[in-house]
Amino acid sequence: MIVGGPNARTDYHINETAEWFYQYRGEMLLKVVDDGGFRDIRIGEGEMFLLPPNTPHNPVRFAGTVGIVLEQPRPEASKDRLRWYCQNCGSVVHEAAFHCTDLGTQIKEAVNGFRDDREARTCEKCGELADVVPKAKEAP
């Protein structure tokens, strides 16, 4: 799929198959959870990155950028997941799972469901209310 920026999401997508990123125009930031820690991977114009299966990731795309993402067809029993982490303590706040048939529509449904459910957005560990859009601090 061809994806342009900007976007503003706080969820981390988890796909049971690998994803290949190619950044055609501009730079993007791929936020990942790796070995329990949060880290940022910058993918510059003309660069590629292969994301391993089952890696929580949040692709941050800036205005005027264009990238290509290739995903494999999902096996019948596979589940894609969207996971939200507490911005205060890093704990998992909520997770939604679905068999992926139309990623764009299904992500929107899950994000809207999370946005509208205050209980799902409240961290059980520290009580912080999770944001549904990133705070205005991220820039390329």
Side-chain angles (χ1 to χ4, degrees):
M1 75 181 90
I2 297 174
V3 189
N7 69 341
R9 294 177 23 206
T10 57
D11 61 276
Y12 283 72
H13 179 219
I14 305 166
N15 183 349
E16 293 181 4
T17 60
E19 294 184 39
W20 178 80
F21 291 80
Y22 172 72
Q23 193 59 24
Y24 177 74
R25 181 180 306 134
E27 181 180 73
M28 71 164 290
L29 177 67
L30 187 62
K31 296 179 168 209
V32 299
V33 180
D34 188 23
D35 289 329
F38 293 88
R39 79 180 173 106
D40 294 343
I41 299 168
R42 291 204 176 267
I43 304 172
E45 189 169 303
E47 294 180 344
M48 294 179 269
F49 181 76
L50 182 62
L51 182 73
N54 296 306
T55 303
H57 60 286
N58 175 321
V60 178
R61 299 187 178 279
F62 307 106
T65 62
V66 178
I68 299 170
V69 180
L70 295 181
E71 298 184 2
Q72 298 172 329
R74 306 303 199 270
E76 281 189 36
S78 72
K79 293 284 185 189
D80 277 52
R81 293 172 283 152
L82 294 182
R83 182 181 291 168
W84 286 266
Y85 294 90
C86 179
Q87 290 94 357
N88 183 52
C89 72
S91 296
V92 174
V93 173
H94 181 71
E95 185 171 291
F98 52 90
H99 175 70
C100 184
T101 55
D102 181 349
L103 187 60
T105 300
Q106 290 172 293
I107 282 179
K108 185 176 181 180
E109 290 171 357
V111 168
N112 289 343
F114 179 71
R115 178 197 65 211
D116 296 340
D117 187 344
R118 189 173 180 87
E119 185 176 334
R121 292 177 48 209
T122 304
C123 179
E124 290 183 7
K125 185 173 180 183
C126 74
E128 182 83 5
L129 185 65
D131 293 328
V132 293
V133 294
K135 292 184 177 17
K137 66 177 181 176
E138 297 166 343

